[in-house]
Amino acid sequence: MAGYTHDKDEHVTRLRKIEGQIRGLSRMVEDDEYCIDILTQVSAATRALQSFSLGLLDEHLGHCVVQAAQEGGPEAGQKVREASDAVARLVRS
C-alpha cells in the first residue's frame, strides 16, 4: 500500500486544481494576457506543485521509509537512497 493511499482523494483533488491552473495559463497565453500576469500565475502553479510534492515526500518518509527501516535488510537502505534522490531532484527544480 502506498503511503498516500489514505489521502488519495485529497491528492487527486489537489492535482485537478493544479491542472486547472495550467489550463488557465494556456488560456491566458491564447488571450494575449499581460506577461507579468502570466508569470504570476506560473509562480502560483509552481508553488502548488512544490507543496504537493513536499507533502507526498513527507508521507513517503513517514510510511514507506519508516516501514522499510523497521523491517530492515537491503530494502531499508534502498528506500533511504530513493528519498534522498527525490529530495535532490526537488531542490534542483
Side-chain angles (χ1 to χ4, degrees):
M1 178 172 81
Y4 60 85
T5 300
H6 64 283
D7 290 328
K8 187 175 182 176
D9 291 340
E10 180 182 323
H11 289 314
V12 169
T13 298
R14 287 184 72 190
L15 287 170
R16 286 186 179 145
K17 288 179 183 178
I18 294 168
E19 181 181 17
Q21 286 179 291
I22 302 304
R23 281 194 307 271
L25 282 167
S26 181
R27 281 191 302 273
M28 290 177 81
V29 170
E30 289 172 358
D31 294 343
D32 294 320
E33 296 285 336
Y34 185 56
C35 300
I36 298 302
D37 292 340
I38 296 170
L39 290 170
T40 299
Q41 293 307 311
V42 167
S43 178
T46 300
R47 284 192 311 273
L49 277 172
Q50 288 171 338
S51 175
F52 175 80
S53 63
L54 289 173
L56 197 60
L57 177 63
D58 184 58
E59 290 176 353
H60 177 70
L61 292 170
H63 178 264
C64 300
V65 175
V66 167
Q67 182 179 357
Q70 289 171 342
E71 294 172 1
E75 188 175 337
Q78 176 188 353
K79 293 290 183 188
V80 171
R81 280 189 301 280
E82 287 174 351
S84 178
D85 291 346
V87 169
R89 285 190 302 273
L90 289 173
V91 170
R92 285 191 301 263
S93 65

